[in-house]
Amino acid sequence: MVQIKEFEVEKWMDENEGDAIHNIAETCCSSITLEELQQLSGADSPLAFLDPKQPMTYGPIRGSVALRTHIAEIYGAAPISADDVLITSGAIHANFLSLYALISPGDHVVCQYPTYQQLYSIPESLGADVTLWKANFSDKWAMSYKDLESAIRPNTKMIILNNPQNPLGTVMTKEELQKIVALARAHDILIHCDEVYWPLVHDEHIQSQVPSITELGYDNVVATGSMSKAYSLAGIRVGWLVSPKKALIDLLASVRHYTTISVSQIDDRIATLAMRPDVRRKILERNIALARKNKACVEALIAEFPSVCEWVTPNAGTTGLIRLRQKSTNGGGFIEDVSFCHNLQRETGTMLVPASHCFGAGKEFVGCVRIGYVCSHEELVRGLAGLRSYLAQYFVD
Ligand SMILES: Cc1ncc(COP(=O)(O)O)c(C=O)c1O
């Protein structure tokens, strides 16, 4: 039997989402309806993108050319064409395929941390030796290039990145990525970059400075992406793998045959419409505006409770970590995040994610909860109202 750790964040969502009244734990930008997609695209009806006469065959195995062409277009500065894109059932499937196809027992891999647990638990389950490349809280969760450099070994096979990053909401800019690429090139290391939140960069100072890893002139890379987060369409379960290196895409396609024949043809049609350049642009504009507006609400709540809450303001993606303290009459130490989240949800209906439990048992995340703040504005306001009343009742002296 495969030896694999529980995927804690997905387990938490599974066990708690059903009872949540105000879900501010979700990582997708507020999901759109088919009716909204119709309005954004100017289609005649919410189902205009479906052809009732289309036979429901498997369809094109790698995904339709139209969809893969639209996806290739988002990697503007990279030499990516439809042939370099493979459609998958979400980025979770894309990540799995890349890690499964490319890592062997005894390989060493370095994985950015914290991140989506899949990115280090799958390599571990495959028998790889995993070094976590850790963000530094005392330096606004910055990643130290020196730490990465010293983690490299002669048998390092892969550097695994997540940019923009979940749960911290931080990004590595072009300059930082270029250093990583130079290091990988010097040691002939493959880079896998989970870009499921890209290009959702809402900090205006760096908005234009965060390229895809495929755009930096290094072929030995695999990027994964998805309709779920930046494009608000998690329900269609469409993601992708991209690489400028043909041999990598061919290998990934061979391994993919064992897990997927094709994705749903209906999902493919919906994704094709949403990724049409004019529609895609409108969805991204909507989500960047929503992220900015909602982030300001979270900042306002944190400012109301200066002795209780702190965070490093996220500049991209949909999530951030808030660190919380007990009131001083209770010792003023960090909260215990699992019981905090359970009690908060039971008393107010507001759902959050306990970070030390879901993002590794490292001491770094003690007292932290993850908030997903790019849900609908109304949901966020209601969720924050629950959190506000709970903090006022139990955490203020
Ligand atoms: C970093 C990261 N990668 C991948 C996924 C999976 O996304 P998808 O819905 O595209 O499978 C998630 C979902 O939360 C995520 O946060």
Side-chain angles (χ1 to χ4, degrees), residues 10 27 90-92 95 116 162 166 194 196-197 226 228-229 237:
E10 294 300 348
T27 55
I92 194 166
N95 284 337
Y116 199 50
N162 174 207
N166 168 20
D194 176 329
V196 78
Y197 297 95
S226 162
S228 299
K229 316 292 182 184
R237 306 306 303 132

Side-chain angles (χ1 to χ4, degrees), residues 80 84 188 190 219-221 242-250:
I80 297 283
D84 307 315
D188 194 23
L190 195 147
D219 266 13
N220 206 10
V221 295
V242 176
S243 176
K245 188 168 172 177
K246 186 173 179 322
L248 274 176
I249 286 296
D250 287 346

Side-chain angles (χ1 to χ4, degrees), residues 35-51:
E35 213 164 57
E36 284 170 285
L37 186 57
Q38 175 204 353
Q39 283 155 10
L40 291 170
S41 64
D44 294 342
S45 84
L47 296 179
F49 44 82
L50 294 181
D51 174 1

Side-chain angles (χ1 to χ4, degrees), residues 53-274:
K53 294 202 164 50
Q54 180 190 356
M56 282 294 123
T57 62
Y58 283 120
I61 300 295
R62 293 183 178 208
S64 70
V65 173
L67 175 57
R68 288 185 290 119
T69 302
H70 285 333
I71 290 171
E73 284 159 6
I74 69 177
Y75 302 95
I80 297 283
S81 72
D83 289 345
D84 307 315
V85 181
L86 280 179
I87 303 301
T88 58
S89 299
I92 194 166
H93 178 213
N95 284 337
F96 180 84
L97 283 178
S98 169
L99 302 173
Y100 182 75
L102 297 166
I103 294 174
S104 310
D107 283 343
H108 174 243
V109 307
V110 182
C111 183
Q112 183 180 352
Y113 177 87
T115 188
Y116 199 50
Q117 190 190 330
Q118 180 190 31
L119 297 174
Y120 48 90
S121 286
I122 294 288
E124 268 171 14
S125 81
L126 295 168
D129 194 2
V130 179
T131 301
L132 298 176
W133 177 37
K134 295 187 175 185
N136 182 356
F137 182 66
S138 57
D139 188 14
K140 298 190 171 180
W141 296 129
M143 305 300 302
S144 152
Y145 173 76
K146 275 208 158 79
D147 290 352
L148 175 63
E149 208 176 18
S150 57
I152 301 301
R153 299 182 196 162
N155 67 336
T156 304
K157 179 74 179 287
M158 190 184 273
I159 297 173
I160 302 169
L161 306 175
N162 174 207
N163 201 41
Q165 198 264 14
N166 168 20
L168 304 173
T170 51
V171 272
M172 285 182 282
T173 59
K174 182 172 185 178
E175 211 178 311
E176 292 167 287
L177 291 171
Q178 274 170 334
K179 282 170 95 175
I180 299 172
V181 162
L183 184 69
R185 197 193 295 274
H187 296 270
D188 194 23
I189 297 171
L190 195 147
I191 301 177
H192 171 107
C193 192
D194 176 329
E195 297 178 349
V196 78
Y197 297 95
W198 186 78
L200 195 81
V201 181
H202 33 80
D203 179 333
E204 58 195 2
H205 303 295
I206 52 164
Q207 204 170 8
S208 59
Q209 296 168 35
V210 185
S212 161
I213 196 74
T214 57
E215 296 175 311
L216 299 176
Y218 184 50
D219 266 13
N220 206 10
V221 295
V222 174
T224 58
S226 162
M227 298 304 298
S228 299
K229 316 292 182 184
Y231 301 106
S232 295
L233 281 164
I236 60 172
R237 306 306 303 132
V238 170
W240 56 87
L241 285 155
V242 176
S243 176
K245 188 168 172 177
K246 186 173 179 322
L248 274 176
I249 286 296
D250 287 346
L251 172 67
L252 294 168
S254 306
V255 175
R256 181 180 173 278
H257 289 318
Y258 280 100
T259 62
T260 310
I261 295 175
S262 61
V263 301
S264 149
Q265 293 309 287
I266 294 173
D267 293 357
D268 186 306
R269 294 293 285 252
I270 299 173
T272 304
L273 181 63

Side-chain angles (χ1 to χ4, degrees), residues 1 35 46 56 143 157 167 249 271 276 284 291 293 316 344 393:
M1 199 182 123
E35 213 164 57
M56 282 294 123
M143 305 300 302
K157 179 74 179 287
I249 286 296
R276 207 176 71 193
L284 281 176
K293 180 173 166 188
L344 171 71
Q393 188 169 0

